[in-house]
Amino acid sequence: MKAVCTLCPRRCSLEEGQRGFCRARENRGGQVVCTAYGRLTSLALDPIEKKPLRRFFPGSRILSAGSYGCNLRCPFCQNWEISMADAAAPTTAVSPEALVRRALELRPAGSIGLAFTYNEPLTAYEYVRDCARLAHAAGLKTVLVTNGCFLREPLEALLGDIDAMNIDLKGFTPDFYRLVGGDLRTVQEAITLSAARCHVEVTTLIVPGLNDSESEMDAEARWLASVDPELPLHVTRFFPCHEMQDRGPTPVETVLRLRDAAARHLRWVYTGNC
Ligand code: SF4
């Protein structure tokens, strides 16, 4: 029996046994199930600033978990080894209970809770939800690092279990989102919805020749300020990787120029990898 996944705008319509575009979900017996549930490719205790979050428990650390799969196809993906992987990826099985237990054990090391990151965590929506609920019940903080390209209903249902998010705003034109296989309006809606419910910071990776114009950054920052002028924005540098090896790293002066353009509208603008 066919099944339709209603997590993201792709709305994959799947035949029995067929996996979704994100490679983390599959039709089993007429139900879309998450094949990445509890299967971790990465687990590390990171500084919170690495998420990046600069205005949420600064100086703390957080147990950060990643799996495999992604619903976008950014040619410049920095984590492509896991985001483009599928169920054949080497993983470690970690139940929500075990993950929360580990996060609690790490409290003396400065950990405030759990972060879902590295690949696109929301393709393993059910795992994030189950872990986040348990983490909250145990008094831990929860952080989600996402591309934000997910539909309103599942996102809203999760927000009560999430304390902070970093959402990518990859560019500010429909063309840029076409390049990465996403949808600008969906991401804008995710930022607006989330910022009303939890702490949100936004990241834009500046790719030379693609989204490095001052006018695009001006429009982006102006829009973010219309959501909340206190929203922190991280403007970060691209380095050649994955399928994008045809250009050099973003010049530092470009990042600084765009930071200054964004700072005309937003109070908190940070640079990354400079
Ligand atoms: S989350 Fe995955 S399976 Fe679901 S619609 Fe998006 S790409 Fe398809």
Side-chain angles (χ1 to χ4, degrees), residues 191-192 194-196 198-200 202 220-233 265-268:
I191 291 172
T192 307
S194 306
C198 68
H199 177 84
V200 170
V202 170
E220 173 180 325
R222 195 185 290 269
W223 177 76
L224 285 170
S226 76
V227 176
D228 181 356
E230 299 280 324
L231 262 185
L233 172 66
H265 304 288
L266 294 164
R267 184 165 176 205
W268 310 108

Side-chain angles (χ1 to χ4, degrees), residues 110-178:
S111 179
I112 58 168
L114 275 181
F116 307 97
T117 177
Y118 304 132
N119 69 313
E120 172 48 59
L122 289 182
T123 56
Y125 180 88
E126 297 82 355
Y127 183 66
V128 171
R129 179 198 61 202
D130 294 352
C131 292
R133 282 183 186 162
L134 278 180
H136 265 183
L140 294 168
K141 299 294 178 198
T142 58
V143 166
L144 180 63
V145 182
T146 175
N147 62 39
C149 202
F150 288 83
L151 294 176
R152 183 185 187 111
E153 199 175 275
L155 184 64
E156 275 189 320
L158 186 67
L159 283 174
D161 299 310
I162 300 295
D163 297 301
M165 293 167 79
N166 187 294
I167 305 179
D168 278 343
L169 183 53
K170 291 176 183 286
F172 206 61
T173 61
D175 273 357
F176 195 91
Y177 268 92
R178 249 189 300 281

Side-chain angles (χ1 to χ4, degrees), residues 4-14 18-26 32-33 70-73 120 122-125 149-151:
V4 177
C5 177
T6 53
L7 255 190
C8 91
R10 290 189 179 275
R11 293 184 173 85
C12 296
S13 176
L14 305 172
Q18 190 183 358
R19 73 179 183 192
F21 179 85
C22 61
R23 304 183 174 122
R25 308 179 69 77
E26 188 175 298
V32 179
V33 301
C70 186
N71 59 334
L72 301 187
R73 288 293 180 272
E120 172 48 59
L122 289 182
T123 56
Y125 180 88
C149 202
F150 288 83
L151 294 176

